Amino acid sequence: MVRADAGFFDQQLLGFLEQRGLPYIVIARLTLWLKREAARVTAWRALDEHYAVGEFSLQLFGWDRPRRFVVIREQLRAERPSLGRKLLEVPMRAYRFPIRDICIVWRV
């Protein structure tokens, strides 16, 4: 499993990993297109009482194909600050793309 941060979020790296059949998790750069697609997610699977996961597929400009993006939604709590950056304006919720901050492209 290859993991990379947003600095490596590009077609060149993803294509390289896919050509070699390597599974990866890459944090995505938070662009306007990704925010829009994340806002459209309607199917959420609860992980526990505070977290849920959703996903979408998107082909970004310059990419050779669509890729899967996974979003984690966190219920905000007064006793614990959110780990994610605010992505969408929704009361009492923080949306983030896992593992560190904001969006991932995921292929397993």
Side-chain angles (χ1 to χ4, degrees), residues 27-81:
I27 305 301
R29 248 179 246 117
L30 187 57
T31 66
L32 181 59
W33 291 108
L34 291 178
K35 284 183 181 184
R36 285 181 182 164
E37 287 301 312
R40 292 184 180 126
V41 173
T42 58
W44 294 96
R45 185 177 57 152
L47 300 175
D48 64 20
E49 64 183 286
H50 301 291
Y51 295 95
V53 65
E55 64 181 82
F56 61 90
S57 180
L58 182 65
Q59 182 170 346
L60 293 174
F61 180 77
W63 284 17
D64 61 353
R65 63 182 194 80
R67 292 192 169 86
R68 177 181 177 222
F69 291 81
V70 177
V71 183
I72 291 180
R73 180 177 72 183
E74 178 183 8
Q75 180 73 41
L76 295 179
R77 295 165 275 174
E79 70 276 6
R80 184 177 175 274

